[in-house]
């Protein structure tokens, strides 16, 4: 098994692994246990960052290669806030999106992030956590591999 999305930085080194789950209302305990299970079953391996993207929330672990499997995420952000730019002029509903649709939406969002020029002054509220965590700097000008493309 492989993660749904892998992002390599401009230096061609793995920076981010992403697992996308079409789930609403996950408890903090469920989120932590999902990551632990993904690690235990070798779905995800070591990477500087790990993102669990759910239909209603995104959960990011930084220093993920050394973080304990029981560690809670460093950041949890509402999905609507993160995906606001992609959702604003569309009829996409995160409550009714398919599994594949959510994965494509997250992939599109990450692609836009990688080619954007974010600064603390230009970042929208749903983007500040990417700057604070170092995720944006790690994946900027990088490349993306989705499970469908692998």
């Amino acid at each position: 098994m492989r993660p749904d999305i892998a992002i390599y930085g401009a230096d061609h080194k793995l920076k981010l692994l992403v697992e996308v789950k079409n789930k609403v209302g996950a408890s903090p305990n469920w989120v932590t246990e999902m990551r632990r299970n993904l690690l235990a079953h070798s779905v995800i391996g070591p990477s500087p960052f790990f993102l669990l993207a759910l239909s209603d929330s995104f959960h990011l672990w930084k220093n993920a290669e050394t973080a304990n499997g029981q560690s809670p995420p460093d950041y949890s952000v509402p999905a609507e806030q993160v995906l606001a730019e992609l959702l604003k002029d569309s009829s996409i509903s995160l409550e009714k999106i398919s599994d594949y649709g959510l994965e494509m939406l997250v992939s599109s969002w990450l692609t836009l992030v990688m080619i954007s020029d974010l600064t603390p002054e230009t970042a929208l509220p749903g983007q500040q956590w990417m700057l604070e965590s170092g995720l944006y700097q790690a994946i900027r000008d990088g490349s993306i591999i989705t499970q469908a493309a692998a």
Side-chain angles (χ1 to χ4, degrees):
M1 297 211 39
R2 297 180 183 171
D4 294 319
I5 301 169
I7 305 277
Y8 292 82
D11 61 0
H12 306 290
K13 293 181 181 175
L14 181 63
K15 302 297 180 181
L16 171 67
L17 293 175
V18 181
E19 189 67 22
V20 180
K21 297 287 182 202
N22 198 352
K23 178 161 177 66
V24 176
S27 70
N29 185 55
W30 186 94
V31 168
T32 301
E33 284 298 309
M34 173 57 74
R35 178 174 171 267
R36 186 191 66 74
N37 289 338
L38 292 169
L39 286 166
H41 297 290
S42 300
V43 174
I44 59 170
S47 69
F49 294 92
F50 173 70
L51 179 69
L52 179 59
L54 305 178
S55 307
D56 62 351
S57 55
F58 284 17
H59 306 275
L60 179 74
W61 285 260
K62 59 184 194 172
N63 305 314
E65 69 264 303
T66 58
N68 177 318
Q70 295 296 328
S71 299
D74 295 293
Y75 295 86
S76 292
V77 184
E80 282 187 4
Q81 190 178 38
V82 175
L83 301 171
E85 284 297 303
L86 287 173
L87 296 173
K88 73 177 181 182
D89 295 325
S90 76
S91 60
I92 297 170
S93 166
L94 291 177
E95 294 84 32
K96 296 179 181 176
I97 196 166
S98 68
D99 294 349
Y100 183 72
L102 182 60
E103 188 174 328
M104 291 300 98
L105 189 61
V106 171
S107 177
S108 297
W109 164 71
L110 285 165
T111 300
L112 289 173
V113 168
M114 289 187 304
I115 63 173
S116 68
D117 190 21
L118 287 181
T119 67
E121 296 76 33
T122 62
L124 299 171
Q127 299 172 324
Q128 291 293 338
W129 63 280
M130 292 183 292
L131 293 169
E132 291 172 11
S133 67
L135 175 63
Y136 170 71
Q137 294 84 347
I139 67 173
R140 183 174 183 205
D141 296 326
S143 58
I144 187 168
I145 297 175
T146 62
Q147 193 174 58

